[in-house]
């Protein structure tokens, strides 16, 4: 599956594409040429940020090996954010939900960053 440029509304229209295009508001905490990061509208922890590539694949299953950097950049940006915000040493969780059983609801790949509480007792 080809990536869908968020800048082109004709090609892609997930809710995250609309945030990238500034058509709907979001609390954006980071952006560069490759990705955007914003606070989750329904936070599951004191810190809950979504890292979203501008070139969107629907699910992790759709990312080809030769575009693995799309996923790698999300993880690197999350770690950088954790360090900058001062909770990297205490720890945090990053995860990607995939399809129905994974609980995915938005079909534009994204990495969840959760922090600010002990997460190890809540693996559900
Ligand atoms: P998924 O369930 O697909 O892994 O994660 C989608 C996430 O996007 C959910 O945690 C949900 O709360 C969040 N979300 C859905 N719509 C919006 C929105 O319009 N704005 C923001 N900031 N987050 C959203």
């Amino acid at each position: 599956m080809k990536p869908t440029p968020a800048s082109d509304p004709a090609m892609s229209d997930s809710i995250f594409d609309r945030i990238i295009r500034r058509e709907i508001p979001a609390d954006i905490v980071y952006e560069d040429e490759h990705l955007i990061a914003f606070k989750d509208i329904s936070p599951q922890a004191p810190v809950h940020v979504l890292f979203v590539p501008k070139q969107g694949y629907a699910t992790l299953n759709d990312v080809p090996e030769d575009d693995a950097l799309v996923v790698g950049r999300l993880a690197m940006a999350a770690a950088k954010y954790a360090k900058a915000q001062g909770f990297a040493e205490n720890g945090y969780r990053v995860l990607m939900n995939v399809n129905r059983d994974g609980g995915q609801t938005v079909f534009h790949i994204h990495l969840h960053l959760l922090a600010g509480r002990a997460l190890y007792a809540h693996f559900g």
Side-chain angles (χ1 to χ4, degrees):
M1 183 185 288
K2 289 192 67 161
T4 53
S7 56
D8 183 350
M11 290 188 68
S12 175
D13 209 19
S14 74
I15 193 102
F16 293 166
D17 291 301
R18 300 185 66 203
I19 288 172
I20 291 165
R21 296 198 302 264
R22 304 298 198 277
E23 290 171 7
I24 58 173
D27 194 344
I28 295 167
V29 299
Y30 177 77
E31 183 170 21
D32 64 26
E33 62 185 308
H34 301 295
L35 63 95
I36 191 167
F38 50 87
K39 294 185 181 174
D40 197 291
I41 205 167
S42 178
Q44 305 300 306
V47 176
H48 189 173
V49 176
L50 302 173
F51 291 79
V52 180
K54 291 184 176 176
Q55 294 277 308
Y57 295 97
T59 81
L60 186 59
N61 295 333
D62 302 307
V63 180
E65 272 189 44
D66 66 3
D67 210 4
L69 205 48
V70 167
V71 180
R73 284 194 191 100
L74 302 182
M76 292 297 98
K80 214 169 173 179
Y81 181 79
K83 289 174 194 167
Q85 294 296 309
F87 58 78
E89 286 300 319
N90 277 350
Y92 55 95
R93 175 174 291 168
V94 293
L95 63 93
M96 296 179 80
N97 296 325
V98 182
N99 280 337
R100 185 195 58 204
D101 285 0
Q104 185 174 6
T105 58
V106 177
F107 289 85
H108 178 138
I109 61 166
H110 51 281
L111 188 86
H112 293 257
L113 165 61
L114 297 149
R117 66 170 168 84
L119 293 153
Y120 49 82
H122 306 273
F123 205 85

